[in-house]
Amino acid sequence: MKTTTLSIICGLISTGLALAQSGVRPPTPFGPVPTERQLRWHEMEFYGFLHFTVNTFTDKEWGYGDENEKVFNPTAFDADQIVLAAKAAGMKGLILTAKHHDGFCLWPSKFTDHSIKSSLWKEGRGDVVKEISDACRRQGLKFGVYLSPWDRNHKDYSRPEYLTYYRSQLRELLTNYGDIFTVWFDGANGGDGFYGGAREKRAIDNRTYYDWENTRQLVRELMPMAVMFSDAGPDVRWVGNERGIAGDPCWATINAAGRYPGSDSQGLNSGERPGTAWIPAECDVSIRPGWFYHAKEDGRVKTPAQLLDIYYQSVGRGAGLNLNLPPDRRGRIHENDIASLREFRRILDATFEKDLAQGAQLTASNTRGGAKQFAAANVLDQKRDTYWTTDDGVATAEMVLDLGQPVTFNVVSLREYLPLGQRVEAFALDQWRDGQWVEFAHGTSVGNFRLIRGAGIATSKVRLRITQAAACPALAELGLFAEPAPVPPAKVATP
Ligand code: FUL
């Protein structure tokens, strides 16, 4: 059964259940809504990239395509060490560059010798795609693939024959390595390359050459629940920069017409309202300046504070965060990267382990049909699939959290109930101070997640005001958290 049909049926069932419970109909969805596969992706929020290929050994970012396969020879490759580093950081999945622009394949593809089987590593019998995907499964992470459309090695690149090659490789990756959660389509194309020895510049028309429609169909057929990423979706869009920063606002919707991988990045950072399609943003960024490992960047790993800023500006703006960890020449994640990730995770855990809003008394200005099932209390049950909503036609609404005693927090979280679309367009937060309400934050888009991080607030009551909504708001979660102060770096002994 098609996923769209499935989600319509699920929608009808949940509407039926809702009606049966209270006799009050849930709101009608507003605008484009996510598919089942996109909802699963939204739940991941944070996952990683692994950029690893001949470039790791030649110290390049873009290989020309003429690299000798023998240069690929990690000295102590350890898939579990790589996957455990990602898991300890809180990542829910990993996407491997099965083939980057240089055309070298990290798996023994039947369709080329320009692969790991011509390398010295494991005497040509290794398979990095298999080892990483197996390790992901062992550790409970999802696995995804990056298969560069631009191939600077292949003799037929720019001709129709190359598409057959590209799709045959995609078929290998989507049939031999278990479940794949995402297929990552890159839009880059620099023109020149080795191209089977031609060593020339080959121009293609990004809009037409790749015939994306048929490639997408192949992915849907082989891996129906995989989300496809590109500048243009169709399931997840690029955020428009490689710094990992989503716009504010960052709408999950966009006008999809005329977009293709490699098209300009207009509108990608903030999305578009109301938009013609639900294509949420993914923020991709590397933990180091480059995507591939370079020893000279060992001292330039992003600090825990920088990683936290990225997290709040990506996941905290409703986007996904895809953080790149480049394996080194040993085939492991470098100690400096691990140290930074460890402190980043420690602070996130310390922040989110205790939701200070739990136990608050809630009152709302309006509850849909007065039904318990749509009551404000749903925002505190820590479930994405229950929500507070109001009667139709209500575009502004508020809820008050009475905390019973003064509580100190510096992070507020909000989450909309996504199956009803992105409805909230503006909100404000107030604290109760000296006998009156005083605003301490305001914002626009919420969507999958919104984190508001600021100075510490100490108050016994918090008010959320939805100040603008395209349709009656449907809020799934609200939380209050205290981010600890950073641990000062260890003192260096003075002589
Ligand atoms: C870009 C590529 O050119 C980079 O090498 C890297 O893979 C990045 C994630 O996408 O378009």
Side-chain angles (χ1 to χ4, degrees):
M1 193 185 319
K2 283 234 171 75
T3 345
T4 39
T5 328
L6 186 67
S7 50
I8 290 170
I9 293 176
C10 290
L12 287 174
I13 293 173
S14 61
T15 309
L17 282 176
L19 266 172
Q21 273 176 35
S22 63
V24 180
R25 237 174 221 290
T28 314
F30 169 80
V33 294
T35 58
E36 191 60 34
R37 64 172 82 82
Q38 287 173 318
L39 286 173
R40 287 198 197 177
W41 172 84
H42 274 298
E43 286 182 17
M44 294 179 71
E45 293 177 357
F46 177 38
Y47 46 88
F49 237 159
L50 297 175
H51 272 68
F52 191 42
T53 189
V54 285
N55 296 346
T56 312
F57 303 89
T58 57
D59 227 357
K60 285 187 185 169
E61 278 290 306
W62 278 9
Y64 188 71
D66 62 349
E67 290 73 24
N68 187 326
E69 295 85 12
K70 296 193 169 50
V71 300
F72 183 88
N73 199 8
T75 51
F77 179 80
D78 185 342
D80 284 298
Q81 190 269 357
I82 294 172
V83 173
L84 284 171
K87 185 178 180 175
M91 293 179 178
K92 300 284 187 285
L94 277 174
I95 307 166
L96 174 67
T97 53
K99 179 184 90 169
H100 201 250
H101 309 327
D102 52 78
F104 181 81
C105 299
L106 291 186
W107 80 104
S109 172
K110 272 195 231 142
F111 304 97
T112 181
D113 288 331
H114 192 53
S115 83
I116 204 148
K117 70 186 172 205
S118 309
S119 76
L120 299 175
W121 185 61
K122 298 197 171 178
E123 292 162 353
R125 283 192 289 274
D127 184 342
V128 174
V129 178
K130 179 157 179 21
E131 292 208 31
I132 296 286
S133 60
D134 284 350
C136 280
R137 250 184 304 281
R138 270 196 299 279
Q139 304 302 339
L141 268 73
K142 296 188 181 184
F143 177 67
V145 289
Y146 171 119
L147 185 70
S148 171
W150 181 31
D151 188 323
R152 305 175 91 184
N153 173 265
H154 203 270
K155 65 177 181 23
D156 288 331
Y157 183 77
S158 83
R159 294 192 267 272
E161 292 79 358
Y162 171 73
L163 286 193
T164 310
Y165 173 76
Y166 185 77
R167 290 185 186 138
S168 306
Q169 295 203 315
L170 201 50
R171 189 176 280 280
E172 286 184 315
L173 292 172
L174 299 185
T175 46
N176 298 334
Y177 297 96
D179 207 34
I180 303 287
F181 85 95
T182 188
V183 183
W184 215 93
F185 293 123
D186 190 88
N189 191 308
D192 66 331
F194 176 67
Y195 304 125
R199 297 184 181 276
E200 61 190 10
K201 194 166 176 137
R202 291 193 180 169
I204 53 114
D205 182 343
N206 258 334
R207 266 168 316 179
T208 53
Y209 174 60
Y210 293 110
D211 175 25
W212 282 113
E213 216 28 63
N214 279 307
T215 301
R216 288 174 181 180
Q217 249 176 43
L218 181 71
V219 176
R220 289 287 191 248
E221 191 188 300
L222 299 173
M223 202 56 71
M225 289 312 280
V227 288
M228 284 181 258
F229 166 99
S230 84
D231 298 341
D235 303 310
V236 177
R237 73 174 196 263
W238 186 43
V239 79
N241 64 65
E242 293 184 342
R243 290 173 293 114
I245 311 290
D248 184 3
C250 183
W251 306 108
T253 51
I254 198 152
N255 299 325
R259 295 186 183 273
Y260 50 89
S263 61
D264 74 55
S265 56
Q266 181 80 22
L268 295 179
N269 197 237
S270 279
E272 287 157 325
R273 281 293 271 176
T276 58
W278 185 279
I279 310 181
E282 175 194 283
C283 299
D284 62 326
V285 58
S286 184
I287 195 166
R288 289 161 172 251
W291 290 101
F292 289 93
Y293 176 83
H294 308 289
K296 60 178 177 292
E297 293 179 356
D298 282 351
R300 298 183 66 198
V301 174
K302 289 190 172 62
T303 62
Q306 286 174 314
L307 294 177
L308 284 166
D309 284 347
I310 288 172
Y311 184 87
Y312 278 94
Q313 293 174 89
S314 56
V315 176
R317 290 182 178 169
L321 171 57
N322 176 5
L323 177 65
N324 179 60
L325 311 177
D328 60 17
R329 289 187 182 177
R330 292 170 305 174
R332 291 167 180 247
I333 303 301
H334 191 273
E335 290 69 9
N336 294 2
D337 306 45
I338 291 193
S340 193
L341 289 169
R342 188 175 295 136
E343 176 63 1
F344 157 75
R345 187 71 246 170
R346 189 193 67 76
I347 296 173
L348 277 186
D349 285 346
T351 307
F352 292 104
E353 71 187 353
K354 184 154 192 250
D355 181 353
L356 301 161
Q358 290 293 309
Q361 290 294 319
L362 285 174
T363 42
S365 58
N366 181 303
T367 297
R368 190 175 185 81
K372 191 162 171 239
Q373 157 205 7
F374 298 123
N378 288 333
V379 304
L380 295 188
D381 67 2
Q382 300 182 319
K383 290 186 193 148
R384 290 164 186 260
D385 54 356
T386 62
Y387 55 97
W388 162 60
T389 189
T390 66
D391 292 320
D392 288 337
V394 172
T396 59
E398 58 184 58
M399 79 162 54
V400 172
L401 283 84
D402 188 341
L403 303 162
Q405 57 179 7
V407 164
T408 303
F409 61 89
N410 51 13
V411 175
V412 181
S413 73
L414 298 172
R415 208 187 274 288
E416 277 186 271
Y417 178 66
L418 299 187
L420 293 179
Q422 197 160 1
R423 306 163 80 90
V424 175
E425 294 186 321
F427 64 89
L429 288 157
D430 308 318
Q431 58 170 313
W432 186 250
R433 203 169 69 193
D434 304 328
Q436 58 179 341
W437 289 115
V438 180
E439 183 177 307
F440 66 87
H442 61 263
T444 50
S445 57
V446 176
N448 184 54
F449 206 31
R450 170 62 106 152
L451 293 173
I452 303 106
R453 186 192 196 198
I457 303 282
T459 185
S460 58
K461 279 199 277 186
V462 173
R463 182 169 69 172
L464 166 70
R465 280 178 288 129
I466 306 294
T467 52
Q468 192 182 321
C472 64
L475 201 73
E477 286 181 42
L478 189 162
L480 303 175
F481 304 95
E483 180 181 343
V487 178
K491 281 213 178 102
V492 181
T494 37

